Amino acid sequence: MFKTEVLSSDRSNIEYAARLINDGEVVGIPTETVYGLAADAANETAVKKIFEAKGRPQDNPLIVHLSSVDMMDRYVCNVPELAYRLVERFCPGPLTMVLPKRDIIPDVTSAGLDTIGIRIPFHKTARDIIDACGKPLAAPSANLSGSPSPTTAQHVFEDMNGRIPLIIDGGACGVGVESTVVSFENDGIRLLRPGYVSVEDLKSIGAEVFCDKGIVEAVADGEKVLSPGMKYKHYSPKANVTLVMGSLEKFTEYVSEHNGEDVYAMLYDRDAAEYPYKYMTYGDNSEEQAAQVFGVLRKADEIGAKQVFVRCPEQNGVGLAVYNRLLRSAGFEVIKV
């Protein structure tokens, strides 16, 4: 057990965070997507502490965070030309590329795979911590496994108080959903996990893009996955979550048939004026919904909701990422009305 500190992202605290990481500890750090639990990606013992803090299954691979493209060749090999085109267009930023790993990255970090996801975060504090460490950082989302991802330092503290020594507060995350994850095959890009970098963005570099079935379907038990966020139920509050696909009128009719004291809806902001029952809102467009969705799912627990009916988001652009997170939060329970 630790006495967990939450400190600002000034230079002295960044150096303190780097010392802890270099000593084999785990630190909560901000990125533009969600907060991460950072440890030395090449230190097997330190990486195991991430899994322990999260209660995370060890067959779920981690993402390795670098501060610049210059670090890539030290940790991955056989990088295709297409990957460098993505780096030029989207990095630093919320994009993770799955590539063959070098031996310096231990199997515990990659969940026994011979590949690893690498990312160069846009968030300056994240890159400053990596530079201060001089090491690549494994950093999955800084939440208890299965619960909604954290987009503020307070969210991290709620889940990790006593489990890690330090959280660096870099403010609210601007993107709000985890990075887009891609792999490369047959001179094309396979989308493994949708994020802020959308299918349309990926196609803009002139590549063919294939969407993995695991984006909208449950992965079979025992099946190996290349990316985090593809396996198990994720992003879930204690409340039961159900996605409802249809117009506001039909959505309202459906909820009226299942309404109760502890039942809440998650609506678009513009829906609120016409909705007669208890509700929370999570933005009016895909970018707003991405930034707010995890905070609202956490709010469901704060207000004691037992059932949350979510008005389904769009499924294009960044909306596909929001839909993917809500789909997994709901355990793939979708009602069409």
Side-chain angles (χ1 to χ4, degrees):
M1 294 291 291
F2 294 95
K3 182 179 179 181
T4 302
E5 296 182 279
V6 181
L7 301 177
S8 68
S9 57
D10 65 28
R11 188 70 224 173
S12 63
N13 292 334
I14 285 172
E15 291 172 354
Y16 174 41
R19 288 196 299 274
L20 285 171
I21 291 169
N22 285 336
D23 287 342
E25 296 297 345
V26 177
V27 173
I29 68 168
T31 80
E32 71 274 21
T33 56
V34 299
Y35 274 73
L37 284 181
D40 177 358
N43 182 332
E44 185 173 348
T45 301
V47 171
K48 286 180 178 177
K49 291 181 180 180
I50 294 176
F51 288 100
E52 291 166 3
K54 283 180 66 71
R56 181 186 179 103
Q58 293 199 16
D59 62 348
N60 208 0
L62 305 182
I63 291 172
V64 173
H65 293 65
L66 312 177
S67 61
S68 72
V69 67
D70 296 334
M71 296 178 72
M72 279 178 54
D73 287 342
R74 296 181 226 167
Y75 307 107
V76 294
C77 57
N78 301 324
V79 180
E81 185 270 339
L82 189 53
Y84 287 113
R85 283 161 57 190
L86 288 179
V87 167
E88 184 177 358
R89 174 70 175 80
F90 300 113
C91 298
L95 177 71
T96 295
M97 301 180 296
V98 176
L99 296 164
K101 74 179 182 74
R102 295 192 184 276
D103 290 342
I104 189 172
I105 300 296
D107 285 348
V108 66
T109 306
S110 65
L113 300 171
D114 58 6
T115 57
I116 193 70
I118 61 164
R119 165 163 124 78
I120 304 167
F122 179 78
H123 201 291
K124 184 177 184 300
T125 300
R127 294 203 312 276
D128 286 347
I129 292 171
I130 297 167
D131 283 336
C133 292
K135 295 181 172 69
L137 299 184
S141 55
N143 56 304
L144 293 172
S145 187
S147 65
S149 299
T151 54
T152 67
Q154 179 59 34
H155 292 164
V156 183
F157 186 79
E158 289 166 3
D159 281 15
M160 292 293 144
N161 184 24
R163 293 171 177 263
I164 60 174
L166 175 65
I167 300 162
I168 295 294
D169 187 348
C173 300
V175 171
V177 291
E178 295 85 353
S179 61
T180 302
V181 181
V182 300
S183 62
F184 303 94
E185 57 182 69
N186 301 324
D187 298 320
I189 298 170
R190 178 168 292 279
L191 179 65
L192 301 174
R193 182 178 73 184
Y196 193 81
V197 178
S198 67
V199 172
E200 294 80 3
D201 292 330
L202 295 170
K203 288 180 177 178
S204 72
I205 68 164
E208 190 170 6
V209 178
F210 313 93
C211 290
D212 194 276
K213 67 178 183 180
I215 291 172
V216 294
E217 296 179 17
V219 174
D221 290 343
E223 184 176 345
K224 280 191 172 282
V225 295
L226 296 178
S227 164
M230 295 181 72
K231 207 172 185 182
Y232 309 109
K233 189 176 181 181
H234 276 291
Y235 320 118
S236 299
K238 296 181 179 70
N240 184 64
V241 175
T242 304
L243 267 176
V244 182
M245 190 178 295
S247 68
L248 177 60
E249 180 183 2
K250 293 296 183 182
F251 177 93
T252 305
E253 288 177 6
Y254 181 82
V255 175
S256 71
E257 297 168 1
H258 301 82
N259 201 24
E261 182 179 351
D262 301 321
V263 174
Y264 286 79
M266 269 179 67
L267 306 172
Y268 304 168
D269 290 0
R270 62 180 176 271
D271 297 338
E274 301 178 40
Y275 189 75
Y277 307 118
K278 294 189 290 292
Y279 67 88
M280 304 169 287
T281 62
Y282 73 118
D284 243 351
N285 58 51
S286 296
E287 287 77 12
E288 291 174 356
Q289 290 170 346
Q292 297 179 37
V293 62
F294 289 139
V296 176
L297 288 173
R298 284 177 171 267
K299 182 181 176 182
D301 285 340
E302 292 174 14
I303 62 180
K306 297 293 190 295
Q307 170 69 56
V308 178
F309 293 108
V310 183
R311 187 153 181 240
C312 199
E314 299 291 331
Q315 296 176 47
N316 51 34
V318 184
L320 180 61
V322 181
Y323 176 70
N324 169 266
R325 302 319 191 267
L326 287 169
L327 191 63
R328 293 186 173 279
S329 176
F332 296 89
E333 185 179 0
V334 182
I335 305 296
K336 295 182 180 180
V337 295

